[in-house]
Amino acid sequence: MSETIALNLFWASFVVLSGYWAADFAKKGIRIAVLGTGLALLVAALTVRGAIIAYLPLTNKFESFCTYSTMAFAVLLYTSIKAKAHVAGRIYRLSLFAMGYAFMVAAALFPKEISYPPPLMITVWYVMHVPLAFFAYALCTSAGAGALQRMRAVEALERLDIDTMVGKNILWGFIIFSITMVFGGIWGYVAWGSYFLWDQKVMWSVVLWFFYATVAHMEFRDELQQKRPFFALLGVFLILVTYVGTSFFMKSSHSF
Amino acid sequence: MNKLIEYLGSLNFGVICGFAITGLLIAGSLTMLAAPEAYKGLQGEDIKFFLFSAGLVHYWFYLLVVAFGLFVLNLFLCTLRAFKKKRQKFGWKVTVYGSTLAHIAIILALVSHLVSGLTVREGMPRYITETDAVTSATQAPPEIKMRIVKVDDAYYENGQPRRADLLVEVEENGKITTETLGYNRPITRNFGSTEYLMMQYGRMPSAAIMTVNGIKSSVARGAEVPVPGTSFVIQVEDLYMPGEAPGLEVPALLVNFVDAGGTRRGGLLRLGSGTVSPAEGLSMSFEELQKAPMALVRERHNEGIPILLGSIILFLAGMGIVVARVFERG
């Protein structure tokens, strides 16, 4: 019964968010209302699933993809409300939304049965590690979307504002990703005895950490700062490889 | 010389090192995918593997070591320079030293990773039960013995295990303590450098419930039991689980019995197969299999863990200060 409610909430969210493609061309209030409603329904769907298993609903690919989408939409909603109109421009909004929506479509294609977490997943380190990782991914994806928006910016002031937003997203994404790496390492130690593994997902997470550590430090030199939008876009590609590529195309112990 | 040191500690050089490490790790990942057979046996944090099975295929790792070395040098020099500047400008104002702490923590983490990679080792997994005190898997002192005292486990409605916390009696250097062992709850020693991990939990056969000449009793493997009122002595030599012997679909006991004349005979007694009379005046049946909790425990040693713990504390403190400063600046 509850599983059906969760599924219906997911589909309702999917329908509402599908409407965002059109709503984005409407007034700010309308698009925020559509995005906010879709996001609230998605959060509700995940909350019901969490209540069924009495744990964090991150136990399979469906929930994993939904969580990424949730984080991407939450960042988009926040930026849409807070940022200046030319910073959270249409290219930014639609490209970040497209990423979240693509993962929602992917989620819709995967089995949606409730699955209980195995004992090794039941730890506070997992609860702190995985959602934060998704939040960091979403912030870095937002930086990539900002880099796309910057390409269309004409005025210098406009570019400067977008650069600031991209820089902040990268910095916060990096800080949160650093913390998630620490929590993930502790979880690895208490669960398997190893904080690091020569495993594709772990290696690519380290790749991502070094990449964003480097890009975040580019802020301190003007000539390097100019190149940051390119790296912000490259970062999104690295996130996709780390998150999706290692699970589907490379043999990894992190199978979702 | 000064110019070289200045360059080695510069942001530009740091950026080069950062991207070099990124690129070499990607090269490593792709090499591992292209030649998986060259990486068989590579586990955990181990880096000795790359030294003992040296080969051109590990080119990326050797270059990575050089890149990390230069990166640590860069980090050290630029952190030192920044520290001196901050010290002159701000004195000991804590909020400006967040990045300094985080940078020192990263250097420490890389040092700990090197120590881990060179010292990590693990013993053979061992079973621990309620009765057996199983000795430590490696020869490394101190020797440690464990015995399950109490089990606190839980299952989901579909029967899938949810939690298994074992209260374990640990005997170490003649001293006995009681500790909890479970999934995500290892028993640790020496600031975490020695770890006992529960890899698997379940129940294993511990004894057979047999009825011999109408008397029901629990008989452990290897036990010899005189049959009251007769001259027979029966011995449970072994227990076979389904599949362990050809055509065996249920658990079975290999039972020997010795008569008054010393003649020894034996055969398989299957669970639930009813009462059998292998000799005049002797009847027996195998009623039930008793099971007791057991856990598969793995022992791991990693001398880098205490340094890593220090680096984590320092890193989180540094990051906390950085975050506070970001908020402070708006």
Side-chain angles (χ1 to χ4, degrees):
Chain A
M1 175 65 180
S2 307
E3 201 171 338
T4 314
I5 294 172
L7 203 58
N8 289 339
L9 283 167
F10 168 78
W11 286 118
S13 159
F14 191 82
V15 169
V16 172
L17 287 167
S18 297
Y20 183 84
W21 291 110
D24 192 74
F25 292 86
K27 284 179 184 172
K28 186 178 175 180
I30 294 172
R31 58 183 155 82
I32 285 175
V34 172
L35 184 63
T37 308
L39 178 62
L41 287 166
L42 190 54
V43 170
L46 286 172
T47 307
V48 173
R49 289 179 75 92
I52 294 169
I53 59 169
Y55 197 65
L56 189 73
L58 259 169
T59 59
N60 53 33
K61 283 198 170 67
F62 171 77
E63 288 165 353
S64 167
F65 290 157
C66 281
T67 306
Y68 174 87
S69 301
T70 304
M71 296 295 182
F73 296 144
V75 171
L76 175 61
L77 185 66
Y78 178 83
T79 316
S80 298
I81 295 168
K82 287 277 179 182
K84 291 174 185 164
H86 61 263
V87 174
R90 181 155 298 136
I91 296 173
Y92 166 82
R93 293 196 308 267
L94 287 182
S95 47
L96 181 55
F97 179 78
M99 284 292 285
Y101 190 78
F103 277 93
M104 224 180 156
V105 171
L109 299 173
F110 275 87
K112 296 163 198 68
E113 284 81 29
I114 293 283
S115 41
Y116 290 107
L120 279 172
M121 234 184 227
I122 301 176
T123 165
V124 67
W125 303 114
Y126 178 78
V127 172
M128 294 201 288
H129 167 60
V130 185
L132 278 182
F134 282 120
F135 188 41
Y137 285 172
L139 284 169
C140 293
T141 309
S142 166
L148 283 178
Q149 179 72 43
R150 191 188 187 276
M151 286 176 186
R152 291 294 300 272
V154 186
E155 290 175 30
L157 192 66
E158 221 175 295
R159 281 201 293 271
L160 191 69
D161 282 344
I162 296 171
D163 281 345
T164 306
M165 187 269 279
V166 169
K168 274 188 178 173
N169 276 309
I170 288 175
L171 180 66
W172 280 109
F174 169 63
I175 289 172
I176 291 164
F177 195 68
S178 301
I179 294 168
T180 198
M181 291 278 279
V182 170
F183 291 154
I186 296 173
W187 180 34
Y189 172 76
V190 298
W192 296 278
S194 307
Y195 64 86
F196 175 83
L197 296 168
W198 289 104
D199 165 78
Q200 293 295 341
K201 181 76 119 192
V202 181
M203 280 181 79
W204 277 88
S205 297
V206 179
V207 164
L208 215 54
W209 189 84
F210 270 99
F211 177 81
Y212 277 107
T214 309
V215 176
H217 283 80
M218 287 172 124
E219 188 185 329
F220 302 111
R221 282 275 189 287
D222 286 345
E223 70 272 19
L224 294 176
Q225 216 179 60
Q226 303 297 317
K227 299 183 176 84
R228 223 168 31 175
F230 164 74
F231 287 108
L233 276 174
L234 183 61
V236 177
F237 171 72
L238 293 181
I239 286 172
L240 288 175
V241 176
T242 308
Y243 175 31
V244 188
T246 53
S247 296
F248 288 92
F249 307 111
M250 304 175 192
K251 202 180 160 194
S252 169
S253 59
H254 290 65
S255 59
F256 73 94
Chain B
M1 189 63 185
N2 278 352
K3 274 197 166 178
L4 178 69
I5 291 174
E6 198 179 318
Y7 180 71
L8 289 174
S10 69
L11 183 70
N12 282 358
F13 187 62
V15 168
I16 292 170
C17 287
F19 283 140
I21 290 169
T22 305
L24 287 167
L25 280 167
I26 293 173
S29 158
L30 298 176
T31 309
M32 282 178 160
L33 282 175
E37 67 287 349
Y39 294 92
K40 268 182 189 159
L42 178 60
Q43 283 181 332
E45 300 92 348
D46 189 23
I47 58 168
K48 297 187 293 289
F49 175 90
F50 296 100
L51 308 175
F52 295 141
S53 63
L56 208 59
V57 71
H58 305 322
Y59 71 95
W60 61 273
F61 178 80
Y62 308 128
L63 290 172
L64 194 63
V65 172
V66 176
F68 269 126
L70 291 171
F71 177 72
V72 166
L73 182 66
N74 170 264
L75 210 53
F76 175 74
L77 290 173
C78 78
T79 306
L80 189 67
R81 194 172 51 210
F83 175 76
K84 280 178 183 170
K85 274 187 191 170
K86 286 173 185 174
R87 178 81 182 82
Q88 276 178 349
K89 202 172 171 187
F90 303 103
W92 289 111
K93 193 184 173 193
V94 179
T95 51
V96 298
Y97 292 104
S99 58
T100 310
L101 287 180
H103 285 167
I104 295 170
I106 291 163
I107 296 174
L108 270 181
L110 288 170
V111 170
S112 84
H113 196 51
L114 180 67
V115 175
S116 293
L118 294 173
T119 64
V120 69
R121 65 183 197 281
E122 64 180 63
M124 288 289 288
R126 288 284 188 275
Y127 284 107
I128 63 165
T129 64
E130 282 179 330
T131 48
D132 302 335
V134 180
T135 308
S136 157
T138 66
Q139 292 78 41
E143 198 175 67
I144 193 166
K145 294 177 178 180
M146 293 180 194
R147 190 173 74 82
I148 299 172
V149 178
K150 197 180 158 196
V151 176
D152 178 16
D153 54 4
Y155 295 84
Y156 295 107
E157 54 197 42
N158 63 0
Q160 191 188 320
R162 181 191 175 94
R163 175 172 48 81
D165 288 330
L166 313 179
L167 204 63
V168 174
E169 216 169 59
V170 182
E171 189 185 333
E172 193 177 5
N173 298 330
K175 196 179 153 198
I176 296 177
T177 53
T178 308
E179 294 174 56
T180 305
L181 176 73
Y183 293 114
N184 294 311
R185 292 186 77 171
I187 290 174
T188 56
R189 293 287 183 272
N190 309 322
F191 297 101
S193 56
T194 301
E195 196 184 15
Y196 298 92
L197 291 141
M198 187 173 89
M199 303 311 298
Q200 214 179 353
Y201 161 74
R203 301 179 86 80
M204 69 192 299
S206 58
I209 306 288
M210 293 177 72
T211 300
V212 181
N213 283 5
I215 299 170
K216 201 175 199 174
S217 56
S218 170
V219 186
R221 190 185 305 196
E224 282 190 5
V225 185
V227 182
T230 70
S231 55
F232 288 111
V233 173
I234 63 161
Q235 184 212 5
V236 176
E237 192 181 311
D238 211 345
L239 165 73
Y240 294 105
M241 294 305 282
E244 282 184 353
L248 198 64
E249 286 169 357
V250 290
L253 298 169
L254 177 59
V255 182
N256 295 319
F257 58 96
V258 187
D259 62 19
T263 310
R264 188 186 179 93
R265 280 175 286 170
L268 277 181
L269 181 61
R270 287 175 166 78
L271 176 69
S273 60
T275 304
V276 293
S277 246
E280 199 179 325
L282 177 65
S283 67
M284 58 173 89
S285 62
F286 179 12
E287 313 276 338
E288 197 185 325
L289 194 61
Q290 264 187 341
K291 290 183 177 177
M294 68 89 199
L296 187 64
V297 176
R298 193 161 57 107
E299 183 184 339
R300 243 178 160 264
H301 295 271
N302 183 343
E303 304 301 332
I305 294 296
I307 312 171
L308 188 71
L309 280 176
S311 77
I312 287 175
I313 294 167
L314 212 58
F315 185 77
L316 291 177
M319 278 297 185
I321 294 171
V322 168
V323 169
R325 189 150 173 80
V326 170
F327 276 118
E328 193 182 277
R329 282 175 166 179

